[in-house]
PDB file of all heavy atoms in Angstrom:
ATOM      1  N   PHE K   1       0.827  -1.203   0.000  1.00  0.00           N
ATOM      2  CA  PHE K   1       0.000   0.000   0.000  1.00  0.00           C
ATOM      3  C   PHE K   1       0.862   1.254   0.000  1.00  0.00           C
ATOM      4  O   PHE K   1       0.566   2.231  -0.711  1.00  0.00           O
ATOM      5  CB  PHE K   1      -0.923   0.001   1.217  1.00  0.00           C
ATOM      6  CG  PHE K   1      -1.652   1.301   1.415  1.00  0.00           C
ATOM      7  CD1 PHE K   1      -2.737   1.622   0.619  1.00  0.00           C
ATOM      8  CD2 PHE K   1      -1.238   2.203   2.385  1.00  0.00           C
ATOM      9  CE1 PHE K   1      -3.411   2.829   0.794  1.00  0.00           C
ATOM     10  CE2 PHE K   1      -1.906   3.404   2.564  1.00  0.00           C
ATOM     11  CZ  PHE K   1      -2.995   3.720   1.766  1.00  0.00           C
ATOM     12  N   ALA K   2       1.947   1.263   0.781  1.00  0.00           N
ATOM     13  CA  ALA K   2       2.822   2.432   0.853  1.00  0.00           C
ATOM     14  C   ALA K   2       3.479   2.715  -0.489  1.00  0.00           C
ATOM     15  O   ALA K   2       3.659   3.875  -0.869  1.00  0.00           O
ATOM     16  CB  ALA K   2       3.892   2.224   1.930  1.00  0.00           C
ATOM     17  N   ARG K   3       3.841   1.664  -1.233  1.00  0.00           N
ATOM     18  CA  ARG K   3       4.484   1.869  -2.533  1.00  0.00           C
ATOM     19  C   ARG K   3       3.530   2.521  -3.538  1.00  0.00           C
ATOM     20  O   ARG K   3       3.980   3.170  -4.485  1.00  0.00           O
ATOM     21  CB  ARG K   3       4.982   0.537  -3.080  1.00  0.00           C
ATOM     22  CG  ARG K   3       6.142  -0.058  -2.292  1.00  0.00           C
ATOM     23  CD  ARG K   3       6.762  -1.239  -3.017  1.00  0.00           C
ATOM     24  NE  ARG K   3       7.825  -1.834  -2.228  1.00  0.00           N
ATOM     25  CZ  ARG K   3       7.710  -2.936  -1.504  1.00  0.00           C
ATOM     26  NH1 ARG K   3       6.535  -3.567  -1.461  1.00  0.00           N
ATOM     27  NH2 ARG K   3       8.727  -3.415  -0.811  1.00  0.00           N
ATOM     28  N   VAL K   4       2.230   2.337  -3.336  1.00  0.00           N
ATOM     29  CA  VAL K   4       1.247   2.958  -4.227  1.00  0.00           C
ATOM     30  C   VAL K   4       0.882   4.360  -3.742  1.00  0.00           C
ATOM     31  O   VAL K   4       0.797   5.316  -4.536  1.00  0.00           O
ATOM     32  CB  VAL K   4      -0.022   2.086  -4.325  1.00  0.00           C
ATOM     33  CG1 VAL K   4      -1.096   2.800  -5.140  1.00  0.00           C
ATOM     34  CG2 VAL K   4       0.317   0.741  -4.949  1.00  0.00           C
ATOM     35  N   ALA K   5       0.674   4.528  -2.442  1.00  0.00           N
ATOM     36  CA  ALA K   5       0.177   5.800  -1.911  1.00  0.00           C
ATOM     37  C   ALA K   5       1.274   6.855  -1.774  1.00  0.00           C
ATOM     38  O   ALA K   5       1.020   8.046  -1.996  1.00  0.00           O
ATOM     39  CB  ALA K   5      -0.480   5.577  -0.549  1.00  0.00           C
ATOM     40  N   ALA K   6       2.485   6.453  -1.417  1.00  0.00           N
ATOM     41  CA  ALA K   6       3.540   7.437  -1.152  1.00  0.00           C
ATOM     42  C   ALA K   6       3.923   8.270  -2.373  1.00  0.00           C
ATOM     43  O   ALA K   6       4.155   9.478  -2.235  1.00  0.00           O
ATOM     44  CB  ALA K   6       4.769   6.731  -0.582  1.00  0.00           C
ATOM     45  N   PRO K   7       4.023   7.704  -3.579  1.00  0.00           N
ATOM     46  CA  PRO K   7       4.434   8.540  -4.715  1.00  0.00           C
ATOM     47  C   PRO K   7       3.376   9.530  -5.208  1.00  0.00           C
ATOM     48  O   PRO K   7       3.686  10.382  -6.046  1.00  0.00           O
ATOM     49  CB  PRO K   7       4.746   7.508  -5.818  1.00  0.00           C
ATOM     50  CG  PRO K   7       4.903   6.200  -5.126  1.00  0.00           C
ATOM     51  CD  PRO K   7       3.981   6.278  -3.960  1.00  0.00           C
ATOM     52  N   VAL K   8       2.131   9.439  -4.722  1.00  0.00           N
ATOM     53  CA  VAL K   8       1.091  10.371  -5.170  1.00  0.00           C
ATOM     54  C   VAL K   8       1.428  11.775  -4.671  1.00  0.00           C
ATOM     55  O   VAL K   8       1.605  11.973  -3.465  1.00  0.00           O
ATOM     56  CB  VAL K   8      -0.285   9.935  -4.653  1.00  0.00           C
ATOM     57  CG1 VAL K   8      -1.352  10.957  -5.059  1.00  0.00           C
ATOM     58  CG2 VAL K   8      -0.639   8.557  -5.179  1.00  0.00           C
ATOM     59  N   PRO K   9       1.537  12.775  -5.548  1.00  0.00           N
ATOM     60  CA  PRO K   9       1.870  14.131  -5.090  1.00  0.00           C
ATOM     61  C   PRO K   9       0.798  14.647  -4.122  1.00  0.00           C
ATOM     62  O   PRO K   9      -0.396  14.639  -4.447  1.00  0.00           O
ATOM     63  CB  PRO K   9       1.899  14.954  -6.381  1.00  0.00           C
ATOM     64  CG  PRO K   9       2.097  13.957  -7.468  1.00  0.00           C
ATOM     65  CD  PRO K   9       1.413  12.704  -7.018  1.00  0.00           C
ATOM     66  N   PRO K  10       1.201  15.094  -2.939  1.00  0.00           N
ATOM     67  CA  PRO K  10       0.196  15.583  -1.980  1.00  0.00           C
ATOM     68  C   PRO K  10      -0.588  16.789  -2.471  1.00  0.00           C
ATOM     69  O   PRO K  10      -1.675  17.063  -1.956  1.00  0.00           O
ATOM     70  CB  PRO K  10       1.043  15.942  -0.752  1.00  0.00           C
ATOM     71  CG  PRO K  10       2.293  15.145  -0.888  1.00  0.00           C
ATOM     72  CD  PRO K  10       2.554  15.060  -2.362  1.00  0.00           C
ATOM     73  N   THR K  11      -0.070  17.519  -3.464  1.00  0.00           N
ATOM     74  CA  THR K  11      -0.799  18.686  -3.956  1.00  0.00           C
ATOM     75  C   THR K  11      -2.137  18.315  -4.588  1.00  0.00           C
ATOM     76  O   THR K  11      -3.040  19.159  -4.642  1.00  0.00           O
ATOM     77  CB  THR K  11       0.060  19.438  -4.982  1.00  0.00           C
ATOM     78  OG1 THR K  11       0.540  18.526  -5.972  1.00  0.00           O
ATOM     79  CG2 THR K  11       1.255  20.098  -4.307  1.00  0.00           C
ATOM     80  N   VAL K  12      -2.271  17.071  -5.063  1.00  0.00           N
ATOM     81  CA  VAL K  12      -3.544  16.685  -5.679  1.00  0.00           C
ATOM     82  C   VAL K  12      -4.659  16.600  -4.645  1.00  0.00           C
ATOM     83  O   VAL K  12      -5.840  16.632  -5.002  1.00  0.00           O
ATOM     84  CB  VAL K  12      -3.413  15.339  -6.425  1.00  0.00           C
ATOM     85  CG1 VAL K  12      -2.324  15.391  -7.471  1.00  0.00           C
ATOM     86  CG2 VAL K  12      -3.151  14.191  -5.465  1.00  0.00           C
ATOM     87  N   TYR K  13      -4.293  16.517  -3.352  1.00  0.00           N
ATOM     88  CA  TYR K  13      -5.309  16.445  -2.308  1.00  0.00           C
ATOM     89  C   TYR K  13      -5.834  17.820  -1.911  1.00  0.00           C
ATOM     90  O   TYR K  13      -6.848  17.903  -1.199  1.00  0.00           O
ATOM     91  CB  TYR K  13      -4.748  15.766  -1.044  1.00  0.00           C
ATOM     92  CG  TYR K  13      -4.278  14.346  -1.252  1.00  0.00           C
ATOM     93  CD1 TYR K  13      -2.938  14.010  -1.095  1.00  0.00           C
ATOM     94  CD2 TYR K  13      -5.167  13.338  -1.584  1.00  0.00           C
ATOM     95  CE1 TYR K  13      -2.502  12.710  -1.273  1.00  0.00           C
ATOM     96  CE2 TYR K  13      -4.735  12.032  -1.769  1.00  0.00           C
ATOM     97  CZ  TYR K  13      -3.391  11.728  -1.613  1.00  0.00           C
ATOM     98  OH  TYR K  13      -2.965  10.443  -1.787  1.00  0.00           O
ATOM     99  N   ILE K  14      -5.155  18.888  -2.331  1.00  0.00           N
ATOM    100  CA  ILE K  14      -5.513  20.219  -1.828  1.00  0.00           C
ATOM    101  C   ILE K  14      -6.953  20.606  -2.188  1.00  0.00           C
ATOM    102  O   ILE K  14      -7.735  20.973  -1.296  1.00  0.00           O
ATOM    103  CB  ILE K  14      -4.507  21.271  -2.329  1.00  0.00           C
ATOM    104  CG1 ILE K  14      -3.122  21.002  -1.725  1.00  0.00           C
ATOM    105  CG2 ILE K  14      -4.973  22.673  -1.962  1.00  0.00           C
ATOM    106  CD1 ILE K  14      -2.046  21.947  -2.222  1.00  0.00           C
ATOM    107  N   PRO K  15      -7.378  20.557  -3.466  1.00  0.00           N
ATOM    108  CA  PRO K  15      -8.773  20.960  -3.758  1.00  0.00           C
ATOM    109  C   PRO K  15      -9.806  20.083  -3.046  1.00  0.00           C
ATOM    110  O   PRO K  15     -10.823  20.583  -2.545  1.00  0.00           O
ATOM    111  CB  PRO K  15      -8.867  20.805  -5.285  1.00  0.00           C
ATOM    112  CG  PRO K  15      -7.463  20.843  -5.766  1.00  0.00           C
ATOM    113  CD  PRO K  15      -6.649  20.207  -4.693  1.00  0.00           C
ATOM    114  N   TYR K  16      -9.522  18.779  -2.972  1.00  0.00           N
ATOM    115  CA  TYR K  16     -10.471  17.878  -2.311  1.00  0.00           C
ATOM    116  C   TYR K  16     -10.526  18.152  -0.809  1.00  0.00           C
ATOM    117  O   TYR K  16     -11.607  18.159  -0.210  1.00  0.00           O
ATOM    118  CB  TYR K  16     -10.054  16.438  -2.582  1.00  0.00           C
ATOM    119  CG  TYR K  16     -11.043  15.417  -2.064  1.00  0.00           C
ATOM    120  CD1 TYR K  16     -12.264  15.208  -2.697  1.00  0.00           C
ATOM    121  CD2 TYR K  16     -10.752  14.652  -0.932  1.00  0.00           C
ATOM    122  CE1 TYR K  16     -13.167  14.283  -2.225  1.00  0.00           C
ATOM    123  CE2 TYR K  16     -11.645  13.719  -0.453  1.00  0.00           C
ATOM    124  CZ  TYR K  16     -12.857  13.536  -1.102  1.00  0.00           C
ATOM    125  OH  TYR K  16     -13.748  12.614  -0.622  1.00  0.00           O
ATOM    126  N   ALA K  17      -9.353  18.384  -0.198  1.00  0.00           N
ATOM    127  CA  ALA K  17      -9.330  18.653   1.242  1.00  0.00           C
ATOM    128  C   ALA K  17     -10.061  19.949   1.560  1.00  0.00           C
ATOM    129  O   ALA K  17     -10.794  20.041   2.554  1.00  0.00           O
ATOM    130  CB  ALA K  17      -7.882  18.725   1.729  1.00  0.00           C
ATOM    131  N   ILE K  18      -9.890  20.972   0.714  1.00  0.00           N
ATOM    132  CA  ILE K  18     -10.588  22.236   0.946  1.00  0.00           C
ATOM    133  C   ILE K  18     -12.097  22.059   0.823  1.00  0.00           C
ATOM    134  O   ILE K  18     -12.885  22.677   1.556  1.00  0.00           O
ATOM    135  CB  ILE K  18     -10.069  23.306  -0.038  1.00  0.00           C
ATOM    136  CG1 ILE K  18      -8.612  23.658   0.293  1.00  0.00           C
ATOM    137  CG2 ILE K  18     -10.929  24.551  -0.002  1.00  0.00           C
ATOM    138  CD1 ILE K  18      -7.982  24.623  -0.672  1.00  0.00           C
ATOM    139  N   ALA K  19     -12.516  21.179  -0.098  1.00  0.00           N
ATOM    140  CA  ALA K  19     -13.949  20.956  -0.289  1.00  0.00           C
ATOM    141  C   ALA K  19     -14.561  20.124   0.830  1.00  0.00           C
ATOM    142  O   ALA K  19     -15.734  20.324   1.188  1.00  0.00           O
ATOM    143  CB  ALA K  19     -14.186  20.276  -1.639  1.00  0.00           C
ATOM    144  N   VAL K  20     -13.802  19.188   1.393  1.00  0.00           N
ATOM    145  CA  VAL K  20     -14.362  18.249   2.374  1.00  0.00           C
ATOM    146  C   VAL K  20     -14.232  18.767   3.798  1.00  0.00           C
ATOM    147  O   VAL K  20     -15.199  18.736   4.579  1.00  0.00           O
ATOM    148  CB  VAL K  20     -13.671  16.872   2.234  1.00  0.00           C
ATOM    149  CG1 VAL K  20     -14.082  15.940   3.371  1.00  0.00           C
ATOM    150  CG2 VAL K  20     -14.016  16.256   0.889  1.00  0.00           C
ATOM    151  N   LEU K  21     -13.059  19.249   4.167  1.00  0.00           N
ATOM    152  CA  LEU K  21     -12.843  19.669   5.551  1.00  0.00           C
ATOM    153  C   LEU K  21     -13.501  21.023   5.811  1.00  0.00           C
ATOM    154  O   LEU K  21     -13.631  21.843   4.908  1.00  0.00           O
ATOM    155  CB  LEU K  21     -11.336  19.730   5.836  1.00  0.00           C
ATOM    156  CG  LEU K  21     -10.636  18.364   5.757  1.00  0.00           C
ATOM    157  CD1 LEU K  21      -9.133  18.514   5.918  1.00  0.00           C
ATOM    158  CD2 LEU K  21     -11.193  17.409   6.804  1.00  0.00           C
ATOM    159  N   PRO K  22     -13.895  21.277   7.059  1.00  0.00           N
ATOM    160  CA  PRO K  22     -14.725  22.464   7.335  1.00  0.00           C
ATOM    161  C   PRO K  22     -13.988  23.791   7.207  1.00  0.00           C
ATOM    162  O   PRO K  22     -14.621  24.812   6.929  1.00  0.00           O
ATOM    163  CB  PRO K  22     -15.195  22.238   8.780  1.00  0.00           C
ATOM    164  CG  PRO K  22     -14.199  21.292   9.360  1.00  0.00           C
ATOM    165  CD  PRO K  22     -13.750  20.418   8.241  1.00  0.00           C
ATOM    166  N   THR K  23     -12.672  23.838   7.448  1.00  0.00           N
ATOM    167  CA  THR K  23     -11.934  25.095   7.382  1.00  0.00           C
ATOM    168  C   THR K  23     -10.694  24.925   6.517  1.00  0.00           C
ATOM    169  O   THR K  23     -10.189  23.812   6.339  1.00  0.00           O
ATOM    170  CB  THR K  23     -11.508  25.574   8.785  1.00  0.00           C
ATOM    171  OG1 THR K  23     -10.585  24.631   9.353  1.00  0.00           O
ATOM    172  CG2 THR K  23     -12.708  25.727   9.697  1.00  0.00           C
ATOM    173  N   PHE K  24     -10.214  26.058   6.010  1.00  0.00           N
ATOM    174  CA  PHE K  24      -8.983  26.016   5.220  1.00  0.00           C
ATOM    175  C   PHE K  24      -7.803  25.569   6.069  1.00  0.00           C
ATOM    176  O   PHE K  24      -6.917  24.846   5.595  1.00  0.00           O
ATOM    177  CB  PHE K  24      -8.691  27.395   4.621  1.00  0.00           C
ATOM    178  CG  PHE K  24      -7.310  27.505   4.061  1.00  0.00           C
ATOM    179  CD1 PHE K  24      -7.002  26.982   2.816  1.00  0.00           C
ATOM    180  CD2 PHE K  24      -6.291  28.116   4.791  1.00  0.00           C
ATOM    181  CE1 PHE K  24      -5.717  27.055   2.300  1.00  0.00           C
ATOM    182  CE2 PHE K  24      -5.014  28.207   4.289  1.00  0.00           C
ATOM    183  CZ  PHE K  24      -4.724  27.674   3.038  1.00  0.00           C
ATOM    184  N   LYS K  25      -7.766  25.985   7.323  1.00  0.00           N
ATOM    185  CA  LYS K  25      -6.639  25.638   8.177  1.00  0.00           C
ATOM    186  C   LYS K  25      -6.520  24.131   8.350  1.00  0.00           C
ATOM    187  O   LYS K  25      -5.415  23.565   8.267  1.00  0.00           O
ATOM    188  CB  LYS K  25      -6.785  26.326   9.536  1.00  0.00           C
ATOM    189  CG  LYS K  25      -5.539  26.244  10.402  1.00  0.00           C
ATOM    190  CD  LYS K  25      -5.673  27.162  11.599  1.00  0.00           C
ATOM    191  CE  LYS K  25      -4.382  27.197  12.398  1.00  0.00           C
ATOM    192  NZ  LYS K  25      -4.465  28.131  13.547  1.00  0.00           N
ATOM    193  N   LEU K  26      -7.636  23.454   8.582  1.00  0.00           N
ATOM    194  CA  LEU K  26      -7.607  22.002   8.699  1.00  0.00           C
ATOM    195  C   LEU K  26      -7.187  21.356   7.381  1.00  0.00           C
ATOM    196  O   LEU K  26      -6.456  20.355   7.372  1.00  0.00           O
ATOM    197  CB  LEU K  26      -8.977  21.480   9.126  1.00  0.00           C
ATOM    198  CG  LEU K  26      -9.379  21.723  10.585  1.00  0.00           C
ATOM    199  CD1 LEU K  26     -10.795  21.220  10.831  1.00  0.00           C
ATOM    200  CD2 LEU K  26      -8.396  21.046  11.533  1.00  0.00           C
ATOM    201  N   SER K  27      -7.621  21.920   6.282  1.00  0.00           N
ATOM    202  CA  SER K  27      -7.230  21.384   4.973  1.00  0.00           C
ATOM    203  C   SER K  27      -5.727  21.497   4.770  1.00  0.00           C
ATOM    204  O   SER K  27      -5.072  20.555   4.315  1.00  0.00           O
ATOM    205  CB  SER K  27      -7.975  22.130   3.860  1.00  0.00           C
ATOM    206  OG  SER K  27      -9.370  22.089   4.055  1.00  0.00           O
ATOM    207  N   ALA K  28      -5.165  22.666   5.100  1.00  0.00           N
ATOM    208  CA  ALA K  28      -3.731  22.857   4.932  1.00  0.00           C
ATOM    209  C   ALA K  28      -2.938  21.959   5.876  1.00  0.00           C
ATOM    210  O   ALA K  28      -1.895  21.410   5.486  1.00  0.00           O
ATOM    211  CB  ALA K  28      -3.376  24.328   5.178  1.00  0.00           C
ATOM    212  N   ILE K  29      -3.401  21.797   7.111  1.00  0.00           N
ATOM    213  CA  ILE K  29      -2.717  20.905   8.050  1.00  0.00           C
ATOM    214  C   ILE K  29      -2.725  19.479   7.522  1.00  0.00           C
ATOM    215  O   ILE K  29      -1.715  18.753   7.613  1.00  0.00           O
ATOM    216  CB  ILE K  29      -3.389  20.980   9.440  1.00  0.00           C
ATOM    217  CG1 ILE K  29      -3.106  22.337  10.090  1.00  0.00           C
ATOM    218  CG2 ILE K  29      -2.903  19.856  10.344  1.00  0.00           C
ATOM    219  CD1 ILE K  29      -3.848  22.559  11.388  1.00  0.00           C
ATOM    220  N   PHE K  30      -3.844  19.058   6.943  1.00  0.00           N
ATOM    221  CA  PHE K  30      -3.930  17.706   6.384  1.00  0.00           C
ATOM    222  C   PHE K  30      -2.938  17.515   5.241  1.00  0.00           C
ATOM    223  O   PHE K  30      -2.255  16.490   5.155  1.00  0.00           O
ATOM    224  CB  PHE K  30      -5.356  17.453   5.891  1.00  0.00           C
ATOM    225  CG  PHE K  30      -5.507  16.189   5.089  1.00  0.00           C
ATOM    226  CD1 PHE K  30      -5.531  14.954   5.714  1.00  0.00           C
ATOM    227  CD2 PHE K  30      -5.608  16.244   3.705  1.00  0.00           C
ATOM    228  CE1 PHE K  30      -5.659  13.788   4.971  1.00  0.00           C
ATOM    229  CE2 PHE K  30      -5.742  15.086   2.960  1.00  0.00           C
ATOM    230  CZ  PHE K  30      -5.762  13.855   3.589  1.00  0.00           C
ATOM    231  N   VAL K  31      -2.832  18.497   4.359  1.00  0.00           N
ATOM    232  CA  VAL K  31      -1.910  18.385   3.223  1.00  0.00           C
ATOM    233  C   VAL K  31      -0.462  18.352   3.706  1.00  0.00           C
ATOM    234  O   VAL K  31       0.351  17.562   3.217  1.00  0.00           O
ATOM    235  CB  VAL K  31      -2.147  19.545   2.242  1.00  0.00           C
ATOM    236  CG1 VAL K  31      -1.088  19.555   1.152  1.00  0.00           C
ATOM    237  CG2 VAL K  31      -3.531  19.429   1.617  1.00  0.00           C
ATOM    238  N   VAL K  32      -0.127  19.197   4.677  1.00  0.00           N
ATOM    239  CA  VAL K  32       1.230  19.177   5.239  1.00  0.00           C
ATOM    240  C   VAL K  32       1.508  17.831   5.889  1.00  0.00           C
ATOM    241  O   VAL K  32       2.607  17.267   5.746  1.00  0.00           O
ATOM    242  CB  VAL K  32       1.397  20.333   6.246  1.00  0.00           C
ATOM    243  CG1 VAL K  32       2.699  20.185   7.035  1.00  0.00           C
ATOM    244  CG2 VAL K  32       1.381  21.672   5.522  1.00  0.00           C
ATOM    245  N   PHE K  33       0.525  17.302   6.602  1.00  0.00           N
ATOM    246  CA  PHE K  33       0.686  15.992   7.247  1.00  0.00           C
ATOM    247  C   PHE K  33       0.959  14.901   6.216  1.00  0.00           C
ATOM    248  O   PHE K  33       1.873  14.085   6.391  1.00  0.00           O
ATOM    249  CB  PHE K  33      -0.575  15.661   8.049  1.00  0.00           C
ATOM    250  CG  PHE K  33      -0.664  14.217   8.442  1.00  0.00           C
ATOM    251  CD1 PHE K  33       0.086  13.722   9.487  1.00  0.00           C
ATOM    252  CD2 PHE K  33      -1.505  13.343   7.745  1.00  0.00           C
ATOM    253  CE1 PHE K  33       0.009  12.378   9.846  1.00  0.00           C
ATOM    254  CE2 PHE K  33      -1.590  12.018   8.091  1.00  0.00           C
ATOM    255  CZ  PHE K  33      -0.822  11.523   9.150  1.00  0.00           C
ATOM    256  N   ILE K  34       0.198  14.873   5.139  1.00  0.00           N
ATOM    257  CA  ILE K  34       0.392  13.841   4.120  1.00  0.00           C
ATOM    258  C   ILE K  34       1.784  13.946   3.492  1.00  0.00           C
ATOM    259  O   ILE K  34       2.475  12.954   3.281  1.00  0.00           O
ATOM    260  CB  ILE K  34      -0.697  13.958   3.034  1.00  0.00           C
ATOM    261  CG1 ILE K  34      -2.059  13.554   3.602  1.00  0.00           C
ATOM    262  CG2 ILE K  34      -0.371  13.072   1.831  1.00  0.00           C
ATOM    263  CD1 ILE K  34      -2.160  12.097   4.013  1.00  0.00           C
ATOM    264  N   GLY K  35       2.204  15.174   3.206  1.00  0.00           N
ATOM    265  CA  GLY K  35       3.503  15.350   2.575  1.00  0.00           C
ATOM    266  C   GLY K  35       4.654  14.939   3.461  1.00  0.00           C
ATOM    267  O   GLY K  35       5.666  14.429   2.973  1.00  0.00           O
ATOM    268  N   ALA K  36       4.550  15.167   4.775  1.00  0.00           N
ATOM    269  CA  ALA K  36       5.642  14.828   5.688  1.00  0.00           C
ATOM    270  C   ALA K  36       5.569  13.392   6.176  1.00  0.00           C
ATOM    271  O   ALA K  36       6.601  12.813   6.559  1.00  0.00           O
ATOM    272  CB  ALA K  36       5.618  15.783   6.883  1.00  0.00           C
ATOM    273  N   PHE K  37       4.378  12.795   6.170  1.00  0.00           N
ATOM    274  CA  PHE K  37       4.220  11.473   6.771  1.00  0.00           C
ATOM    275  C   PHE K  37       5.016  10.399   6.035  1.00  0.00           C
ATOM    276  O   PHE K  37       5.740   9.605   6.669  1.00  0.00           O
ATOM    277  CB  PHE K  37       2.732  11.091   6.802  1.00  0.00           C
ATOM    278  CG  PHE K  37       2.493   9.672   7.242  1.00  0.00           C
ATOM    279  CD1 PHE K  37       2.495   9.333   8.577  1.00  0.00           C
ATOM    280  CD2 PHE K  37       2.268   8.660   6.298  1.00  0.00           C
ATOM    281  CE1 PHE K  37       2.286   8.013   8.982  1.00  0.00           C
ATOM    282  CE2 PHE K  37       2.058   7.354   6.691  1.00  0.00           C
ATOM    283  CZ  PHE K  37       2.062   7.026   8.039  1.00  0.00           C
ATOM    284  N   TRP K  38       4.911  10.352   4.705  1.00  0.00           N
ATOM    285  CA  TRP K  38       5.492   9.222   3.989  1.00  0.00           C
ATOM    286  C   TRP K  38       7.011   9.167   4.070  1.00  0.00           C
ATOM    287  O   TRP K  38       7.571   8.079   4.285  1.00  0.00           O
ATOM    288  CB  TRP K  38       5.013   9.221   2.536  1.00  0.00           C
ATOM    289  CG  TRP K  38       3.581   8.832   2.397  1.00  0.00           C
ATOM    290  CD1 TRP K  38       2.554   9.596   1.945  1.00  0.00           C
ATOM    291  CD2 TRP K  38       2.998   7.560   2.742  1.00  0.00           C
ATOM    292  NE1 TRP K  38       1.366   8.905   1.981  1.00  0.00           N
ATOM    293  CE2 TRP K  38       1.617   7.641   2.463  1.00  0.00           C
ATOM    294  CE3 TRP K  38       3.512   6.378   3.261  1.00  0.00           C
ATOM    295  CZ2 TRP K  38       0.748   6.581   2.686  1.00  0.00           C
ATOM    296  CZ3 TRP K  38       2.647   5.322   3.483  1.00  0.00           C
ATOM    297  CH2 TRP K  38       1.285   5.422   3.197  1.00  0.00           C
ATOM    298  N   PRO K  39       7.748  10.274   3.923  1.00  0.00           N
ATOM    299  CA  PRO K  39       9.202  10.163   4.111  1.00  0.00           C
ATOM    300  C   PRO K  39       9.591   9.703   5.510  1.00  0.00           C
ATOM    301  O   PRO K  39      10.527   8.906   5.666  1.00  0.00           O
ATOM    302  CB  PRO K  39       9.703  11.592   3.833  1.00  0.00           C
ATOM    303  CG  PRO K  39       8.640  12.220   3.015  1.00  0.00           C
ATOM    304  CD  PRO K  39       7.351  11.617   3.473  1.00  0.00           C
ATOM    305  N   ILE K  40       8.873  10.208   6.522  1.00  0.00           N
ATOM    306  CA  ILE K  40       9.201   9.811   7.896  1.00  0.00           C
ATOM    307  C   ILE K  40       8.864   8.342   8.123  1.00  0.00           C
ATOM    308  O   ILE K  40       9.642   7.591   8.721  1.00  0.00           O
ATOM    309  CB  ILE K  40       8.451  10.712   8.897  1.00  0.00           C
ATOM    310  CG1 ILE K  40       8.903  12.161   8.728  1.00  0.00           C
ATOM    311  CG2 ILE K  40       8.680  10.246  10.321  1.00  0.00           C
ATOM    312  CD1 ILE K  40       8.098  13.159   9.545  1.00  0.00           C
ATOM    313  N   PHE K  41       7.699   7.915   7.635  1.00  0.00           N
ATOM    314  CA  PHE K  41       7.304   6.516   7.791  1.00  0.00           C
ATOM    315  C   PHE K  41       8.280   5.577   7.096  1.00  0.00           C
ATOM    316  O   PHE K  41       8.732   4.576   7.683  1.00  0.00           O
ATOM    317  CB  PHE K  41       5.892   6.327   7.227  1.00  0.00           C
ATOM    318  CG  PHE K  41       5.484   4.890   7.072  1.00  0.00           C
ATOM    319  CD1 PHE K  41       5.012   4.168   8.155  1.00  0.00           C
ATOM    320  CD2 PHE K  41       5.578   4.265   5.836  1.00  0.00           C
ATOM    321  CE1 PHE K  41       4.643   2.837   8.015  1.00  0.00           C
ATOM    322  CE2 PHE K  41       5.213   2.933   5.692  1.00  0.00           C
ATOM    323  CZ  PHE K  41       4.744   2.215   6.781  1.00  0.00           C
ATOM    324  N   GLN K  42       8.633   5.864   5.865  1.00  0.00           N
ATOM    325  CA  GLN K  42       9.501   4.971   5.101  1.00  0.00           C
ATOM    326  C   GLN K  42      10.901   4.904   5.692  1.00  0.00           C
ATOM    327  O   GLN K  42      11.494   3.824   5.765  1.00  0.00           O
ATOM    328  CB  GLN K  42       9.550   5.429   3.642  1.00  0.00           C
ATOM    329  CG  GLN K  42       8.238   5.205   2.906  1.00  0.00           C
ATOM    330  CD  GLN K  42       8.274   5.749   1.480  1.00  0.00           C
ATOM    331  OE1 GLN K  42       8.865   6.791   1.218  1.00  0.00           O
ATOM    332  NE2 GLN K  42       7.634   5.055   0.562  1.00  0.00           N
ATOM    333  N   ASN K  43      11.422   6.034   6.129  1.00  0.00           N
ATOM    334  CA  ASN K  43      12.757   6.010   6.724  1.00  0.00           C
ATOM    335  C   ASN K  43      12.754   5.333   8.095  1.00  0.00           C
ATOM    336  O   ASN K  43      13.721   4.641   8.447  1.00  0.00           O
ATOM    337  CB  ASN K  43      13.303   7.435   6.835  1.00  0.00           C
ATOM    338  CG  ASN K  43      13.879   7.938   5.535  1.00  0.00           C
ATOM    339  OD1 ASN K  43      15.056   7.780   5.249  1.00  0.00           O
ATOM    340  ND2 ASN K  43      13.040   8.562   4.731  1.00  0.00           N
TER     341      ASN K  43
END
């Protein structure tokens, strides 16, 4: 699963996160989390 999900650019989640999550701040935190999670997890 990680080999499939990790290479997906986190920027593609930005419009969807803004549409789904209630505030922009939560959307931005989610995108930052996704971008930082995979390198830390894999290492």
Side-chain angles (χ1 to χ4, degrees):
F1 171 76
R3 292 190 183 101
V4 174
V8 177
T11 51
V12 303
Y13 299 116
I14 294 177
Y16 186 73
I18 292 176
V20 172
L21 295 175
T23 64
F24 167 79
K25 191 169 186 178
L26 287 177
S27 305
I29 290 174
F30 170 76
V31 173
V32 169
F33 165 77
I34 291 295
F37 173 81
W38 288 116
I40 298 173
F41 168 81
Q42 290 176 323
N43 279 270

